Each structure stands twice: as structure tokens, then as C-alpha cells.
Amino acid sequence: MRDWMKLIPDEELRFYKKAGFLGELKPGRRAALIVVDVTMGFCGSKGATLDEAVREYSTACGPDSWEAMPKIAELIGLFRTLKLPIIYSLSDLDAVPFTGKATKGLRTTTPPGFNDFPKEITPRDDEYVLPKTKASTFFQTPLNAYLVKQGVDTLFFCGVSTSGCVRA
């Protein structure tokens, strides 16, 4: 059993198995990694408490972001080694007024530093940075066309705001 599965209550695992959701998934021939919104606006400053991070950026996940950062950096390193596509998304609040649930009415422009990537995972010049105006990396973005052009048939996702943009 994988470590993350140990966090799921036994009763739920039983239902997942019964529904066929825990079967083995194998990657296709060409994978891509989507690094969802791992920017300072969703992390907050390194070393800040959650309260401090949220004061800095209302969408920040604080210490949990920085706990996940080494794993995210490891995934990025693996995809770079395998020469597979990596897509970094960020919120383009300046393109259209942002109307997400968490920030509705709070701001309509990107605060300074919000879309800066932490140095641990900064994209390289040849890696795709995808601005988006909604939580989903797919909603009204050119992502699907990019993935088709790259021949991608399998996606891996990582990020720090799982309950928000990663899930979307």
C-alpha cells in the first residue's frame, strides 16, 4: 500500500476497491508534468507561519507548501532528466478580473511577487509557463493544443493548493 493510501479510512478504501478505482494505472508512452500554481502567491514566504503567509498573500498555503517543495523539485528533476515536457501554471489576474471563490472581490490585479516561482522550482527558459485566468489549467487556455503537439498521453500533476487549483 502506498503511503498516501494509509491516510484513507478503511471504509473508504473498501468502496474505492469495490468501484474499481484502485486498479493499477500505467503511464502511456509520453508523459508531461503540470506544476500547478507553485508561485509565491500560493506558497507565501519560506519560513512564514500560515498566518503570516496568508497576510502576505490571501491564497498562500504557508508551511505546507515548503514541506512539499523538495518533492515537487524532485519530480521536476525527474522529468528534466527524462526530457519530458513540464508545464508551470500561474494565475494571470491582469488578463481578466479574477472571480475564483477564494478571492472573489478581493483583487482584480496580480499583487507584486505573486507569480514569482520559488527558486527551488524556477522554470528553465525552454519550459512552458502557462498563464490562466481560472483555477483549471485547461479552461480557456492553449494547454490541450500544446499537449497534443507534444504527443503527450499521460499527465502527472503536482502543486501546493490541492483543494483548489490542483484539483481543478
Side-chain angles (χ1 to χ4, degrees):
M1 179 181 288
R2 296 201 163 118
D3 287 343
W4 67 267
M5 293 174 73
K6 295 174 187 171
L7 300 173
I8 300 172
D10 290 337
E11 182 75 6
E12 287 182 40
L13 274 177
R14 191 169 56 81
F15 282 109
Y16 287 162
K17 288 177 184 174
K18 186 176 180 178
F21 289 122
L22 294 179
E24 187 176 345
L25 291 175
K26 294 183 181 182
R29 287 177 277 174
R30 183 155 167 83
L33 175 64
I34 300 181
V35 182
V36 183
D37 295 354
V38 183
T39 63
M40 297 306 293
F42 287 98
C43 296
S45 292
K46 190 173 189 174
T49 66
L50 180 57
D51 284 338
E52 292 166 341
V54 169
R55 276 196 302 275
E56 184 179 18
Y57 298 107
S58 63
T59 51
C61 297
D64 289 344
S65 303
W66 295 99
E67 186 178 327
M69 200 66 64
K71 293 291 186 185
I72 294 169
E74 186 179 342
L75 270 173
I76 291 168
L78 174 63
F79 274 74
R80 285 176 175 165
T81 298
L82 296 172
K83 298 185 181 350
L84 292 171
I86 303 171
I87 299 98
Y88 298 80
S89 72
L90 52 81
S91 293
D92 189 1
L93 303 181
D94 296 326
V96 215
F98 191 76
T99 57
K101 290 178 187 175
T103 57
K104 191 171 191 167
L106 293 180
R107 54 176 64 109
T108 56
T109 59
T110 307
F114 187 94
N115 278 327
D116 292 350
F117 291 99
K119 64 179 170 135
E120 292 86 344
I121 59 107
T122 298
R124 293 181 178 170
D125 290 341
D126 63 337
E127 294 170 335
Y128 185 27
V129 176
L130 174 72
K132 61 190 185 67
T133 58
K134 299 290 184 185
S136 172
T137 56
F138 292 95
F139 183 77
Q140 295 183 345
T141 72
L143 180 57
N144 191 52
Y146 173 81
L147 296 171
V148 169
K149 184 177 179 182
Q150 295 294 318
V152 170
D153 61 5
T154 304
L155 294 174
F156 290 87
F157 292 84
C158 65
V160 295
S161 182
T162 304
S163 65
C165 297
V166 174
R167 183 185 56 172

